[in-house]
């Protein structure tokens, strides 16, 4: 696989073998999901936005542009975590799992774009 492949998916969506390597990228464990149901390969809670940033954003779409900028700064300070995911994606699909209801304005979408931008 020449290009890193990342997908985002709500953890509440049904598991699929096409998900490849499943990584929960939330700092908090999602409500109502058992460890068995999650079928995770890894829980990488430290790649999630800081608690301060998450609380400031509070899923407010109007704050999303600023949230994205602040989260990218945090990601730039965690090269060991981003490089870890990029390395896995060299060999297989990586699905970034998140619990947020909003599918476009969430940290997993920012993380996906960030990983794609630094891995090319």
């Amino acid at each position: 696989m020449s290009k890193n492949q990342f997908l985002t998916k709500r953890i509440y969506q049904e598991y699929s073998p096409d998900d490849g390597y499943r990584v929960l990228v939330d700092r908090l464990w999602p409500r109502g999901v058992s460890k068995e149901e999650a079928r995770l390969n890894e829980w990488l809670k430290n790649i999630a936005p800081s608690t301060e940033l998450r609380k400031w954003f509070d899923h407010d779409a109007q704050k999303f542009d600023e949230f994205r900028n602040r989260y990218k700064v945090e990601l730039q300070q965690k090269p060991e975590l981003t490089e870890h995911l990029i390395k896995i994606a060299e060999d297989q699909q990586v699905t970034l799992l998140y619990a947020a209801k909003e599918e476009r304005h969430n940290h997993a979408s920012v993380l996906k774009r960030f990983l794609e931008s630094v891995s090319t």
Side-chain angles (χ1 to χ4, degrees), residues 62-95:
Q62 295 194 334
K63 292 181 178 177
F64 187 69
D65 288 341
E66 180 63 21
F67 168 78
R68 179 176 41 227
N69 293 336
R70 291 183 189 189
Y71 184 36
K72 283 182 188 175
V73 170
E74 289 187 358
L75 289 171
Q76 289 166 352
Q77 296 168 355
K78 302 174 182 182
E80 68 287 349
L81 298 177
T82 56
E83 289 167 14
H84 169 69
L85 290 176
I86 290 166
K87 183 87 175 127
I88 293 166
E90 289 174 1
D91 299 318
Q92 61 186 308
Q93 177 73 52
V94 173
T95 298

Side-chain angles (χ1 to χ4, degrees), residues 5-64:
Q5 294 193 12
F6 296 99
L7 287 177
T8 58
K9 185 175 185 177
R10 286 194 77 216
I11 193 151
Y12 300 104
Q13 291 175 275
E14 196 171 320
Y15 164 83
S16 167
D18 294 341
D19 291 345
Y21 194 87
R22 291 170 55 90
V23 183
L24 177 61
V25 294
D26 282 357
R27 192 167 295 276
L28 304 173
W29 187 262
R31 289 188 186 139
V33 176
S34 71
K35 303 265 191 224
E36 295 75 32
E37 289 171 319
R39 299 178 77 158
L40 296 181
N41 294 97
E42 185 172 5
W43 180 12
L44 204 57
K45 63 176 92 169
N46 290 332
I47 205 163
S50 64
T51 300
E52 298 77 25
L53 181 56
R54 180 177 54 81
K55 287 181 176 177
W56 171 83
F57 175 49
D58 196 31
H59 303 287
D60 180 346
Q62 295 194 334
K63 292 181 178 177
F64 187 69

